[in-house]
Amino acid sequence: MPRFEGFVPGRFPLDAIGAGGFRFAEMSHKGSIIATPIGIRIWPVTRFSEVTIESLQPVLDEAGTIDFLLIGTGADIAFIPPALRDPLRQAGITVEGMATGAAARTYNVLVGEDRRVAAALIAVD
């Protein structure tokens, strides 16, 4: 299976999560990812405390094509603070935080329904 090198254009469901990474589009990646309507990219975040509005800039850049952002907060659920929630809301994006496994499964369902969704997913073991 080829290794993911930073960005793959296109919209893909996630085939597997765990072991510190993700499989999608016949590729694998160790580490966190952001999946948006234009593609999947590396996300240099390893824990929820590192999530900033700047780290979510790829989502804001595509705000016109995204209605929902799912943030996979790792193994545990974390509260999405106003510093993240408010700028996204101002851009027209509803944000929901949940454990990464649940976020990935929800992302796949919404992609399958052709919904305007993005996911920022912190890798888990």
Side-chain angles (χ1 to χ4, degrees), residues 30-87:
K30 289 276 190 194
S32 303
I33 60 170
I34 289 184
T36 66
I38 68 161
I40 298 176
R41 64 183 44 88
I42 290 173
W43 191 34
V45 168
T46 60
R47 63 180 76 70
F48 185 71
S49 62
E50 298 172 0
V51 179
T52 63
I53 199 63
E54 292 80 16
S55 75
L56 295 171
Q57 190 61 49
V59 174
L60 290 169
D61 290 345
E62 294 180 50
T65 65
I66 298 168
D67 293 329
F68 304 101
L69 170 64
L70 303 167
I71 299 179
T73 57
D76 300 311
I77 298 171
F79 173 75
I80 307 299
L84 297 177
R85 189 177 299 278
D86 293 347

